Amino acid sequence: MNKEQRWSKSSWQTLVAAQQPNWPDQASYASVLADLERLPPLVFAGEARKLKSDIARAQRGEAFLLQGGDCAEEFARCTAPAIRETLKVILQMSVILTYAGEKPVIKVGRIAGQYAKPRSSDTEVIDGLELPSYRGDIINSPEFTEAARLPDADRLRQGYFYSAATLNILRGFTKGGFASLERVHSWNNEFVSNSKEGKGYERLAGEIDKALKFIGTIGMDMGKERDLNQVDFYTSHEALLLAYEEAMTRCDSTTGEWYDCSAHMLWIGDRTRQLDGAHVEFLRGVRNPIGMKLGPNHDIDEIKRIIDRLNPDNEPGRMTMITRFGADLIDEHLPKVLRQLKGEGYNLLWSCDPMHGNTYKAGNYKTRSFEAILKEIGHFFHIHRAEGTIPGGIHFELTGEAVTECVGGGSDNLEAHQLEENYLTSCDPRLNGRQSLDIAFMIAHLLKHP
Ligand code: PEP
Ligand code: CO
């Protein structure tokens, strides 16, 4: 199907959809989808439009995007402490980046719906037994048994309700005082004084202290200023499971346009962005801001055609390119991509995912090294500056919890033999809370001293 043909929220169904499960019980699958269509939207079209206008500002260099959260959320970890800790670390990072970059930071979680995962193989073999791969909690369960790995349509319903519960507490935390600037800054001060590495960040933290004191000195009441006590926090996930996304897609009554109301922002993965595939078809018709992952394995002419199809009017704020080349390949690929695309005059936000090109195995554990992550980020900034394009965002897999999934890191400096201590992810390794703050202070340095 091409762009001249009519889009509907189900037009993707006539095309090849990569990475979809085979639902064994078609009757219950159809009934769950019908229920989801009737349930209230999780987010509003107006919120997605606000995010789009924020991203348009970032495209002009007037804001910076911070997107982060789990690789794969899990139903069993949908608890207030887990959600609070991830939100807390994103808010802490955003204060550091706002101050250093002198720009507002747009906060987007990989949260409240990041439940479906693309896999490199449909099946997994252990000791001669072949079972369907784990595809995320919204589809099946990670235990290696036949029953657990069978796609279960009721999980789609549960995914909706877990997303709703997560969003509800996020809205409470971000609008109810938890996110106040003073409080977030005091957490940062705690990190700085409690960590060996944190001492190096004292100067920046001290400058923020002074700025906050100044606000008080000129007579503003920090407790009363709405903007100092509430933040806009947006949700996002990979738009992978198209039937779920279709069921959550609604026509906005004020504009007559279609929005995928499962999250504010959706992204298209590196494995599902085929020009004539179902994912591009579905996303071209919804008006949310869209991210597109871009790894080493791509054809630049196809990428241009996908951008044309997803954003034919070159609408500002619509497209975020999330590059994930890896620390060793970014120098080879990013300059070429930027040169090819900047001549086209596209409105794009460039964001760096320093996680997905840097995964390797250490013994039995999938891991990533803090040094490689930092190296990719550093090169991302330098290459954009050399090419005259804007390094406008960053995309992390992180958690606020004290997991041991990535090695290295200034404050933690985890070694490979420590990975087993608290390795919790069911998919990719995440930066823990302290590693995330270390990275934020290091990016602060890149923003302040280009
Ligand atoms: C992800 O973001 O978890 C992911 C699977 O990324 P990519 O599509 O870039 O491999
Ligand atoms: Co991942």
Side-chain angles (χ1 to χ4, degrees):
M1 194 166 303
N2 62 40
K3 70 174 190 176
E4 283 73 41
Q5 282 169 284
R6 227 180 127 251
W7 180 89
S8 77
K9 63 189 175 122
S10 53
S11 54
W12 64 271
Q13 292 187 15
T14 60
L15 301 170
V16 176
Q19 298 281 344
Q20 307 302 295
N22 291 318
W23 299 96
D25 182 346
Q26 285 289 316
S28 77
Y29 178 57
S31 127
V32 168
L33 292 177
D35 285 353
L36 290 177
E37 292 214 8
R38 279 192 299 269
L39 284 161
L42 292 170
V43 303
F44 292 118
E47 297 171 326
R49 276 195 291 275
K50 169 80 173 37
L51 173 59
K52 210 194 282 179
S53 74
D54 288 351
I55 292 177
R57 290 172 71 192
Q59 289 174 339
R60 298 192 299 268
E62 297 159 11
F64 189 81
L65 173 70
L66 171 62
Q67 187 174 16
D70 290 328
C71 177
E73 286 176 280
E74 290 170 48
F75 294 169
R77 297 236 182 79
C78 179
T79 65
I83 297 164
R84 186 190 60 221
E85 290 308 299
T86 295
L87 173 67
K88 181 176 162 185
V89 79
I90 294 174
L91 294 175
Q92 288 182 262
M93 294 170 84
S94 93
V95 167
I96 297 163
L97 298 178
T98 304
Y99 189 81
E102 298 176 11
K103 286 172 197 169
V105 170
I106 309 161
K107 295 164 275 295
V108 180
R110 288 175 62 114
I111 201 164
Q114 175 52 20
Y115 290 120
K117 297 307 300 172
R119 302 318 305 245
S120 43
S121 166
D122 279 348
T123 59
E124 187 179 350
V125 182
I126 298 183
D127 293 335
L129 179 62
E130 184 172 10
L131 292 177
S133 296
Y134 170 60
R135 289 186 174 275
D137 272 12
I138 200 163
I139 294 162
N140 57 5
S141 178
E143 299 85 64
F144 196 71
T145 66
E146 197 156 358
R149 293 293 175 91
L150 210 59
D152 173 2
D154 192 59
R155 286 178 167 271
L156 290 166
R157 193 195 319 267
Q158 294 178 50
Y160 168 88
F161 285 109
Y162 280 114
S163 299
T166 305
L167 248 169
N168 184 54
I169 194 85
L170 283 172
R171 290 190 195 276
F173 282 142
T174 51
K175 303 295 175 191
F178 176 81
S180 80
L181 179 58
E182 247 179 329
R183 189 188 267 245
V184 175
H185 179 58
S186 76
W187 295 328
N188 280 345
N189 276 343
E190 235 169 80
F191 169 75
V192 168
S193 55
N194 290 342
S195 93
K196 187 161 46 80
E197 190 73 15
K199 298 274 184 252
Y201 314 137
E202 261 168 1
R203 197 156 135 205
L204 184 77
E207 287 174 26
I208 302 177
D209 261 342
K210 269 200 204 146
L212 291 184
K213 285 205 183 98
F214 178 71
I215 294 174
T217 311
I218 59 170
M220 269 168 82
D221 183 342
M222 301 270 293
K224 289 215 179 99
E225 288 296 320
R226 187 195 162 276
D227 289 347
L228 299 177
N229 290 285
Q230 300 192 1
V231 296
D232 287 331
F233 187 85
Y234 298 101
T235 61
S236 69
H237 60 257
E238 179 173 349
L240 183 74
L241 198 55
L242 292 176
Y244 177 81
E245 302 303 338
E246 176 187 336
M248 294 307 299
T249 296
R250 309 294 150 85
C251 187
D252 171 34
S253 55
T254 56
T255 60
E257 292 174 329
W258 292 92
Y259 282 84
D260 182 345
C261 296
S262 68
H264 300 108
M265 177 180 184
L266 286 314
W267 77 85
I268 186 163
D270 202 40
R271 293 173 188 75
T272 49
R273 50 163 175 69
Q274 296 79 24
L275 175 63
D276 291 313
H279 291 82
V280 169
E281 173 59 19
F282 173 74
L283 285 172
R284 83 178 168 97
V286 295
R287 305 308 316 147
N288 308 58
I290 301 294
M292 175 156 71
K293 290 291 198 88
L294 185 61
N297 200 352
H298 67 265
D299 173 308
I300 196 68
D301 292 319
E302 187 185 24
I303 297 299
K304 287 183 194 173
R305 294 178 67 196
I306 298 171
I307 296 170
D308 289 335
R309 195 164 295 175
L310 289 174
N311 196 18
D313 300 326
N314 202 17
E315 183 192 6
R318 163 78 165 167
M319 290 295 303
T320 298
M321 302 297 287
I322 307 166
T323 60
R324 30 88 83 225
F325 294 118
D328 294 334
L329 293 182
I330 186 170
D331 291 354
E332 181 187 332
H333 291 284
L334 185 59
K336 273 196 282 189
V337 166
L338 296 178
R339 282 173 210 156
Q340 288 271 353
L341 294 185
K342 79 185 161 192
E344 305 284 331
Y346 291 128
N347 289 312
L348 299 172
L349 176 63
W350 292 100
S351 178
C352 174
D353 166 358
M355 312 301 289
H356 287 89
N358 293 312
T359 317
Y360 67 96
K361 263 244 139 132
N364 290 327
Y365 295 101
K366 242 206 242 182
T367 191
R368 291 161 172 156
S369 92
F370 187 87
E371 283 62 36
I373 292 167
L374 196 59
K375 179 176 164 194
E376 181 159 358
I377 297 170
H379 287 216
F380 173 82
F381 275 90
H382 289 127
I383 292 168
H384 276 286
R385 287 185 173 134
E387 296 299 328
T389 42
I390 297 171
I394 196 99
H395 182 117
F396 288 115
E397 287 184 340
L398 57 76
T399 172
E401 293 173 284
V403 300
T404 54
E405 298 171 4
C406 291
V407 295
S411 301
D412 264 15
N413 210 6
L414 278 174
E415 294 180 24
H417 69 88
Q418 294 173 289
L419 290 174
E420 63 181 22
E421 287 171 12
N422 198 25
Y423 193 96
L424 300 183
T425 184
S426 62
C427 203
D428 289 339
R430 302 160 294 178
L431 292 170
N432 64 27
R434 291 157 68 87
Q435 290 170 325
S436 302
L437 293 175
D438 277 327
I439 286 269
F441 277 108
M442 290 173 188
I443 300 174
H445 192 74
L446 286 169
L447 289 168
K448 277 179 93 82
H449 309 280

